[in-house]
Amino acid sequence: MEVLLTASLRSVARRQPDAFDRLGPVRQATIRIVPDHLPVAFEMRPNGAAGSIRVVRPESDAAGTSARISGPLLTLLALFDGRGDADGAFFQRRIDVDGDTAAILALHNALEASELTMADILSLPRGFDPALQTALAVVGRWRQGEVRP
């Protein structure tokens, strides 16, 4: 999984280097992303074409991480592809942010400016994005009990 996620991050960096340039020194930061109720967390170092994503246990030692963001997986995905309102999610306490908030803010601004889609994040052609958005919406409705599996 780490290899695929790192390859995806680096692919986005090659296609949209300006988004990573906006990060400045935050490119070297390690940001831990912790989806609620999953047995894994992700440590992302958004260093452009040299960036990486590691899969770690959520409760593992976070020494060396600059910041941590946690919340429901679908909320986090929506924030990364620009569908979600990061400010609203934070103030409504759907996500938690700890550590270097400047790093989180820089990442947020870079993601917002890059106009990524879920297809971009998964290194798929953008034509796949409508189907991915539909699938995520169905999963979200299922998680809220509105749709039966």
Side-chain angles (χ1 to χ4, degrees):
M1 183 185 272
E2 287 180 355
V3 172
L4 293 173
L5 292 171
T6 295
S8 178
L9 175 68
R10 291 177 179 179
S11 174
V12 170
R14 283 190 299 278
R15 285 182 280 133
Q16 297 188 353
D18 57 317
F20 290 84
D21 291 342
R22 295 174 205 268
L23 291 171
V26 172
R27 291 172 64 123
Q28 300 297 324
T30 300
I31 299 170
R32 184 175 279 212
I33 302 158
V34 185
D36 292 348
H37 310 297
L38 286 185
V40 297
F42 306 93
E43 288 187 351
M44 178 178 66
R45 185 171 217 165
N47 193 14
S52 64
I53 298 178
R54 288 186 25 195
V55 178
V56 298
R57 293 185 181 272
E59 68 280 356
S60 67
D61 183 17
T65 58
S66 303
R68 177 182 173 278
I69 181 170
S70 62
L73 177 62
L74 293 177
T75 299
L76 295 172
L77 289 173
L79 296 177
F80 272 87
D81 81 353
R83 289 178 296 115
D85 173 13
D87 296 329
F90 178 77
F91 288 112
Q92 293 169 7
R93 297 184 182 205
R94 288 182 291 146
I95 61 169
D96 291 314
V97 175
D98 300 309
D100 185 356
T101 54
I104 296 292
L105 185 59
L107 179 62
H108 165 67
N109 290 340
L111 287 168
E112 196 171 73
S114 68
E115 298 181 356
L116 289 177
T117 67
M118 188 56 63
D120 293 327
I121 292 168
L122 297 173
S123 293
L124 297 170
R126 281 198 169 195
F128 281 93
D129 201 58
L132 290 169
Q133 296 305 330
T134 299
L136 287 173
V138 168
V139 169
R141 290 187 1 242
W142 173 73
R143 294 268 306 153
Q144 293 173 357
E146 296 173 18
V147 175
R148 297 182 136 212

